[in-house]
Amino acid sequence: MEREVLIVGAGPAGIATAACLNLHSIPNVVLEKEDCLGSLWKKKSYDCLNLHLGREFCQLPHLPFPKHAPNFISKTEFIRYLDEYAEKFKVILKYQTCVKSASYDKNSMTWQVIACNTLTNKNEKYSSRFLVVATGENSEGYIPQIPGLHKFKGKTIHSMSYKSGTKYKEKSVLVVGSGNSGMEIAYDLAKHGANASIVIRNKLHIMTREQMFLGMKLAQYLPLKLVDRLIVMLAKLTFGDLSKYGILRPRDGPLKLKAETGRSSVIDVYRAISSIQESKVLFINGMSESFDAIIFATGYRSTANQWLKDGKESLNEEGFPKKGFPNQWKGSNGLYFAGFARKGLAGISMDAVKIANDIKKAY
């Protein structure tokens, strides 16, 4: 199959880029290994998930959320939005097509892509002038290597497999990871009657969604440092001194950290795990505790390095563009990256618009 543009990945980044290209009448197709778009949202997210930022920071290009929509969109509402978005902009999707390799042919000046049709288990060949890597930051769940983990007698899962706390009632559950997912899962477990604990390795900010929303609004008009001071002060008034629970705040403010590292702000608290012995978890401070289950909310990894044969000079060892924001979206020889800005859905929207406009210039 020949197309001007091949897009790999039918998450928000992939369909947003396709939509922007369609508005320029540039032929494209989105290749997706799963049997649906937005599979991370539809298949690999917990039931109580809500978007952590206000809706205006989560909408994709050319389709704002309705004015009557809640400020913080639920998982169900966002999935509906993605489906409506793809339909409205007539995104062409080819499901159950797993890309195995992508290489650049200098003679024809095209990208040659080999993909496996998982229905027939046969390889298919695609050719395009432009290639958009839209598999994003969250391609594959990551579980750290911990001594003794393979001997743990209880249940271990990544957060992508967690749905709700109903099956964990009256069980002792350790959540590893203190980002938004880890915090929400720990809360959901406690709400369903589990004895939930959470591992916090590093200093972090705990904010309400409303405080982060206020900060992002103010950051459009005021210096980031000033806004960070304001919302940290509000958080201290809301939560008080959390150091007695082992939770320490970083020196840099939450918005600065998000801008520089992509790390979001965010029950008993434990320090980092040193090892695991059957049903017992040992921590670096010498404490130990027995658990029935461990849930790893330890994030995801990019898989672009696994199949992108040419263009690897644009990626680091973690599968992210070497160029930092705001230049990470463009590679060489018609290669682009959508959804790697570490700036959530707002970053995805910026990437999609820039990529489509750049391709239009060369089209």
Side-chain angles (χ1 to χ4, degrees):
M1 179 185 289
E2 293 186 5
R3 274 287 194 278
E4 279 298 309
V5 186
L6 280 178
I7 302 169
V8 183
I15 64 172
T17 304
C20 292
L21 288 168
N22 287 345
L23 291 175
H24 293 310
S25 300
I26 300 174
N28 67 87
V29 64
V30 183
L31 306 182
E32 169 57 46
K33 65 180 180 179
E34 299 288 348
D35 60 359
C36 63
L37 64 86
S39 62
L40 186 66
W41 293 88
K42 292 180 177 179
K43 296 183 175 183
K44 301 172 183 178
S45 59
Y46 44 95
D47 295 341
C48 66
L49 175 64
N50 287 306
L51 297 185
H52 302 117
L53 300 177
R55 64 172 187 259
E56 67 184 89
F57 299 106
C58 298
Q59 58 200 21
L60 299 181
H62 311 296
L63 186 63
F65 285 103
K67 291 183 178 179
H68 63 266
N71 196 28
F72 298 102
I73 304 297
S74 70
K75 167 186 170 178
T76 301
E77 290 166 326
F78 189 65
I79 288 172
R80 187 184 305 118
Y81 172 81
L82 292 179
D83 288 334
E84 292 173 354
Y85 188 90
E87 183 177 356
K88 177 179 174 63
F89 294 106
K90 296 180 173 57
V91 176
I92 298 175
L93 296 145
K94 193 167 188 310
Y95 295 128
Q96 294 175 297
T97 304
C98 183
V99 172
K100 296 297 184 182
S101 69
S103 56
Y104 185 71
D105 185 342
K106 293 181 180 179
N107 293 325
S108 63
M109 299 177 67
T110 59
W111 285 92
Q112 302 298 312
V113 174
I114 305 297
C116 177
N117 183 320
T118 57
L119 287 174
T120 63
N121 202 32
K122 294 182 179 180
N123 285 341
E124 299 172 342
K125 294 182 179 181
Y126 297 83
S127 176
S128 67
R129 186 178 170 192
F130 305 98
L131 177 66
V132 180
V133 180
T135 47
E137 306 170 17
N138 303 323
S139 299
E140 188 174 80
Y142 169 73
I143 294 180
Q145 294 183 352
I146 300 174
L149 177 59
H150 64 288
K151 296 180 180 179
F152 182 66
K153 290 185 175 181
K155 183 176 183 179
T156 61
I157 61 169
H158 188 271
S159 59
M160 64 192 295
S161 300
Y162 178 86
K163 294 301 178 183
S164 80
T166 52
K167 63 176 68 174
Y168 297 97
K169 185 177 181 180
E170 297 181 355
K171 294 184 180 294
S172 293
V173 184
L174 180 66
V175 179
V176 182
S178 55
N180 287 325
S181 295
M183 290 290 188
E184 281 195 331
I185 288 172
Y187 174 73
D188 187 60
L189 286 164
K191 194 168 64 173
H192 283 90
N195 179 19
S197 303
I198 190 165
V199 171
I200 296 180
R201 291 193 309 160
N202 304 312
K203 297 178 180 179
L204 80 164
H205 290 285
I206 294 183
M207 322 286 296
T208 67
R209 288 182 301 184
E210 290 75 15
Q211 287 162 357
M212 286 301 294
F213 177 70
L214 173 64
M216 293 184 72
K217 294 285 283 185
L218 291 176
Q220 298 175 21
Y221 310 101
L222 298 173
L224 207 61
K225 191 173 182 179
L226 177 61
V227 177
D228 269 336
R229 285 179 180 174
L230 174 61
I231 61 175
V232 167
M233 180 183 68
L234 292 174
K236 287 179 178 178
L237 291 173
T238 303
F239 299 109
D241 181 15
L242 297 177
S243 61
K244 57 186 176 183
Y245 303 109
I247 301 174
L248 304 176
R249 290 188 178 277
R251 177 175 296 179
D252 291 331
L255 293 178
K256 183 181 179 183
L257 283 175
K258 178 65 177 174
E260 293 182 352
T261 68
R263 203 171 69 208
S264 299
S265 305
V266 212
I267 317 189
D268 291 332
V269 174
Y270 289 96
R271 306 309 293 170
I273 297 173
S274 62
S275 64
I276 296 173
Q277 296 178 354
E278 297 185 341
S279 63
K280 186 172 288 188
V281 177
L282 283 68
F283 301 93
I284 60 172
N285 61 358
M287 294 179 62
S288 64
E289 189 69 49
S290 295
F291 294 96
D292 300 304
I294 302 175
I295 298 172
F296 288 91
T298 42
Y300 294 81
R301 291 291 184 269
S302 165
T303 58
N305 273 338
Q306 297 176 16
W307 53 267
L308 187 63
K309 305 306 178 185
D310 292 319
K312 278 190 173 182
E313 71 279 356
S314 300
L315 300 174
N316 61 25
E317 292 181 357
E318 295 179 347
F320 279 80
K322 290 179 181 178
K323 293 180 182 177
F325 180 84
N327 302 310
Q328 81 296 330
W329 57 277
K330 187 173 182 178
S332 58
N333 298 321
L335 178 64
Y336 297 90
F337 302 96
F340 289 86
R342 297 183 188 266
K343 293 188 177 294
L345 291 162
I348 283 173
S349 294
M350 288 188 280
D351 288 347
V353 172
K354 289 178 180 177
I355 291 169
N357 288 342
D358 199 65
I359 291 175
K360 183 186 178 184
K361 292 177 184 177
Y363 183 55

